[in-house]
Amino acid sequence: MIEALDPMGTPEDAVNDLMSRPDFDHEYIHHLPTSMRLLDMTAFDELYYPPEIAGSFAESVDMLIRAAYARRNPLEPAVMADLYNKRELMKAQGVHGATLAGMILLVGNSGMGKTRLVRAVLGRMPQGIVHTKYAGTSFNATQVTWLSVDAPIRGSQKGLMLRMLSALDEAAGLSGTPAAYGPLHHKDSVDSLIGTFGTAAANHHLGVLHVDDLQRISSLRSEKYTALQFIIQLANAVKCPVIFSGTPDIEQDYAKEFEAIRRMCSGGYFQLKRSKEFGQRLLKAAFKFQWTNTPVQPTDEQIARLRTYTQDITSVTLLMYKEAQRLALQNGDAQLSSEHFRRVYHTTLRPMHAALRALRRGGAEAEASYENLFPQNASRSGDPT
Ligand SMILES: Nc1ncnc2c1ncn2[C@@H]1O[C@H](COP(=O)(O)OP(=O)(O)OP(=O)(O)O)[C@@H](O)[C@H]1O
Ligand SMILES: [Mg+2]
């Protein structure tokens, strides 16, 4: 299973792999009419400028996956025998059983880029690998290296289980076939779904499971705790590591349960923090891509002003940049100016003003009030903006 993955590189290699630039050729754009430029601008979303923690985060994830695979060599009879009786195993192993695989916790404010970072790091590996033989002997298996699921908002454990099953179907190429797990089990109880997923994940040699925004599963602390306990139990039985990502709420919610929080970060703890350096670098990277006639170089002063608008929140920075550009094009202006940014801040970003103001006020409560005020779903990856 490990041999099917790329050899591990250094954190610097990982950062290089993660970095992504949009397809952009100003020479070509110059000849396009406004409407075509607006269309071409969608390429901007491909820009990915890895945050500071990207290298070490990627390294920890890579290590975790390989360490977990090393513990369960599929060619060893003891491991194979074990594949067929997950339910018994799960019952026997409570949350307090030995930790079999590590877990990574990634925490950051809304819109900082948690989801995108995890998906980009995982996306460096092929999600499904079909094996037919190994070292001359036949070995048939579809290895699923990673799964990434969103916790359903105020959802149930059953909802989460069904998402995991359909993600597994998708990754193993089973969707739409009679062998797909999702449609076959959607009426099952949670208990039996755990069993089904456990066996399915083990049979497909799942490398790592990513659960995004676990804090959203319920507004009740007790239910959040049950949800976490449940995933830990599941991961223990499948022997697969888990990556959790979420807003700082996740820490607060679980801080009282020392056991839970200790397990959640046993394989590493990472914070995507707002920082001046990253805010500046991201803006400078963005300014390399201008669809207007005359590209401009922002001065340090201008960058500083833009940062007071965005408060170094990644999604706000990028949204503001895109919208300013759109405005300039629609107005037929030859170049981007501070006025475009100011207008965008007072129109498109208006719903976020209260949240951004909380950050500007600073203080101990700033980030918490930001989370309460930030419009839900305003920064989700893939949303049309
Ligand atoms: N390092 C980056 N470089 C370029 N774009 C980024 C970067 N990080 C995030 N983005 C973009 O910023 C937006 C917000 O990112 P993302 O959805 O990953 O944030 P999040 O932390 O998961 O937020 P939420 O808590 O709301 O789920 C997305 O459009 C994403 O593509
Ligand atoms: Mg997210």
Side-chain angles (χ1 to χ4, degrees), residues 271-312:
Q271 261 182 312
L272 257 183
K273 276 207 176 121
R274 293 188 297 135
S275 84
K276 181 179 171 187
E277 288 69 33
F278 184 69
Q280 280 175 339
R281 280 198 222 134
L282 184 66
L283 270 169
K284 285 191 181 151
F287 268 98
K288 295 211 176 101
F289 305 97
Q290 297 180 39
W291 277 260
T292 40
N293 275 343
T294 327
V296 290
Q297 272 292 334
T299 61
D300 286 350
E301 254 179 356
Q302 278 166 328
I303 295 258
R305 184 149 3 103
L306 297 183
R307 286 187 41 244
T308 41
Y309 289 146
T310 65
Q311 289 299 299
D312 298 320

Side-chain angles (χ1 to χ4, degrees), residues 164-270:
M164 291 192 209
L165 277 180
S166 54
L168 186 70
D169 282 338
E170 194 72 35
L174 297 174
S175 301
T177 72
Y181 293 100
L184 210 60
H185 295 280
H186 76 276
K187 288 203 180 115
D188 293 5
S189 66
V190 175
D191 260 359
S192 83
L193 281 173
I194 299 178
T196 308
F197 181 78
T199 313
N203 287 341
H204 285 98
H205 312 283
L206 180 60
V208 67
L209 174 67
H210 168 219
V211 183
D212 204 4
D213 288 328
L214 187 66
Q215 83 278 352
R216 297 190 309 172
I217 201 158
S218 163
S219 50
L220 294 176
R221 182 163 287 181
S222 60
E223 281 179 17
K224 287 184 195 184
Y225 182 62
T226 327
L228 174 68
Q229 236 178 345
F230 157 78
I231 291 172
I232 291 178
Q233 200 175 341
L234 191 68
N236 269 350
V238 181
K239 298 189 178 72
C240 98
V242 184
I243 303 169
F244 292 104
S245 55
T247 57
D249 279 0
I250 211 169
E251 280 170 289
Q252 257 133 47
D253 290 337
Y254 297 116
K256 289 231 177 84
E257 326 286 351
F258 178 72
E259 187 76 34
I261 202 85
R262 185 181 62 75
R263 273 163 196 276
M264 279 178 100
C265 22
S266 62
Y269 169 70
F270 295 87

Side-chain angles (χ1 to χ4, degrees), residues 23 33-34 44 49 53 98 104 145 152 175 207 220 299 343-344 349 381:
D23 248 342
T34 306
F44 181 73
Y49 189 85
I53 59 163
I104 292 182
T145 51
S175 301
L220 294 176
T299 61
R343 281 269 304 281
V344 167
L349 299 190
S381 291

Side-chain angles (χ1 to χ4, degrees), residues 110 309 315-316 319-320 323 342-360 369-379 384-385:
S110 242
Y309 289 146
S315 66
V316 178
L319 178 63
M320 184 173 80
E323 290 301 308
R342 202 188 62 79
R343 281 269 304 281
V344 167
Y345 180 73
H346 289 288
T347 53
T348 316
L349 299 190
R350 183 161 218 114
M352 299 167 198
H353 281 192
L356 293 169
R357 238 179 267 133
L359 289 181
R360 248 169 251 141
S369 28
Y370 164 78
E371 285 305 329
N372 292 333
L373 294 166
F374 199 76
Q376 269 278 323
N377 286 343
S379 67
T385 45

